[in-house]
Amino acid sequence: MDPNGKVALVTGAGLRVGRALALALGDAGCRVAVHYGRSETDAQETASLIQSMGSQAVTIQADLEDATQVAALAAAVEDQLGPIEILVNNASIFDKVGLDDVSIENWDRHFAINVRAPFLLAQAMQSQLTSDSPGKIISLNDWRTARPTRFAYGVTKTAVSGLTRTLALSMAPNVQANEISLGAILPPSDIPTDRPRNEIEIDLGPADRMGSLNEVADAMMMLIKNDFITGETVNVDGGRHIQ
Ligand SMILES: NC(=O)c1ccc[n+]([C@@H]2O[C@H](COP(=O)([O-])OP(=O)(O)OC[C@H]3O[C@@H](n4cnc5c(N)ncnc54)[C@H](OP(=O)(O)O)[C@@H]3O)[C@@H](O)[C@H]2O)c1
């Protein structure tokens, strides 16, 4: 796929990884829908940065826990920019809750945001695209999905892998669905930024360093440009998953 001029939706694109991915898409000439939940000012800043590169960008708010708002998000992208051709499922929640205290509400919330929203957006994308239009779905995952300390998060990220592979089959041959599984890129957003990095438990891989946002964006752009990779997991984790 040539990304230039394509309509891309990035969820949770106000800051952190999502912003970096939205900027890379804008830099490649995509028309970018910058989705946000609460980070309105940050999302507007992401959109301004894309516009300053000469690409089109709009901001769209939606609470991904609410299926009606997810449907409205997909419809708003189509209305404002056109059918979604590149879907980047970046937004997620990552609560520090283990097996002993994970509640039904917390479990359901993780599934709604981390799995159901990507599924509904893919379904909407399928209905927006004509049968021969090319498309790309890229979902952000984690090098480690079995996480006792973040129980529901880990289970939902395993489900994202299943979703990726099932979408790859369901949307073939024109749409490719892949995931990028990250190692340590940024400290978790629930850890205060004033805590020194060496006090935070960060699981580095053989690379022995954090990954950069550019390295994540490069992997995404590779998956967008390559039409013969689908149902695949690209680990951007400095080799952590093989250690
Ligand atoms: N950071 C890392 O090193 C790392 C490592 C492994 C995997 N990952 C994966 O990479 C992706 C991005 O990571 P990150 O650390 O940048 O993520 P993050 O900061 O924890 O969250 C990204 C965004 O998700 C959005 N979001 C959460 N709940 C929402 C809701 N109910 N409705 C709408 N938006 C919602 C938030 O948007 P608003 O702020 O607008 O509400 C938030 O800014 C995630 O899928 C994560 O699992 C990251």
Side-chain angles (χ1 to χ4, degrees):
M1 174 186 275
D2 175 1
N4 191 28
K6 296 288 188 298
V7 173
L9 165 62
V10 184
T11 61
L15 58 171
R16 293 170 58 84
V17 174
R19 171 182 282 192
L21 300 180
L23 295 181
L25 291 163
D27 192 43
C30 291
R31 292 177 290 142
V32 186
V34 176
H35 159 265
Y36 66 97
R38 295 184 181 159
S39 302
E40 182 175 6
T41 309
D42 296 297
Q44 283 165 353
E45 200 175 296
T46 304
S48 301
L49 289 166
I50 293 170
Q51 288 154 0
S52 68
M53 296 168 181
S55 294
Q56 197 178 347
V58 297
T59 59
I60 304 173
Q61 195 277 335
D63 179 356
L64 299 180
E65 191 178 356
D66 178 343
T68 309
Q69 292 191 37
V70 177
L73 165 63
V77 179
E78 188 175 33
D79 282 353
Q80 295 179 42
L81 297 175
I84 302 166
E85 295 165 297
I86 299 170
L87 167 61
V88 181
N89 290 309
N90 167 77
S92 89
I93 56 165
F94 183 66
D95 290 351
K96 200 163 191 169
V97 184
L99 176 61
D100 291 344
D101 43 2
V102 62
S103 62
I104 291 175
E105 290 71 26
N106 188 268
W107 176 270
D108 286 348
R109 194 166 130 73
H110 275 83
F111 268 89
I113 296 166
N114 295 2
V115 189
R116 189 179 66 192
F119 146 65
L120 290 172
L121 290 171
Q123 196 179 44
M125 176 179 174
Q126 166 94 330
S127 74
Q128 291 177 8
L129 290 175
T130 57
S131 58
D132 56 353
S133 322
K136 300 283 175 182
I137 298 176
I138 291 153
S139 299
L140 274 291
N141 212 322
D142 201 305
W143 76 272
R144 182 171 57 182
T145 52
R147 281 185 180 267
T149 56
R150 300 194 186 244
F151 191 89
Y153 168 80
V155 178
T156 53
K157 286 299 191 181
T158 306
V160 168
S161 295
L163 177 69
T164 297
R165 290 195 290 273
T166 311
L167 286 173
L169 292 179
S170 305
M171 297 178 77
N174 298 314
V175 177
Q176 289 80 48
N178 293 292
E179 63 180 7
I180 302 175
S181 288
L182 302 184
I185 307 295
L186 296 170
S189 50
D190 58 6
I191 290 182
T193 48
D194 57 359
R195 259 182 82 183
R197 203 171 261 188
N198 59 5
E199 279 184 16
I200 304 170
E201 285 169 44
I202 293 179
D203 215 344
L204 301 177
D208 199 27
R209 64 170 176 85
M210 309 272 284
S212 72
L213 293 169
N214 278 344
E215 287 165 327
V216 183
D218 282 350
M220 176 190 70
M221 293 313 302
M222 181 277 287
L223 289 172
I224 289 171
K225 290 177 185 165
N226 190 310
D227 297 333
F228 204 54
I229 300 177
T230 195
E232 190 53 87
T233 303
V234 175
N235 290 285
V236 180
D237 66 352
R240 185 64 189 86
H241 71 287
I242 52 165
Q243 213 173 26

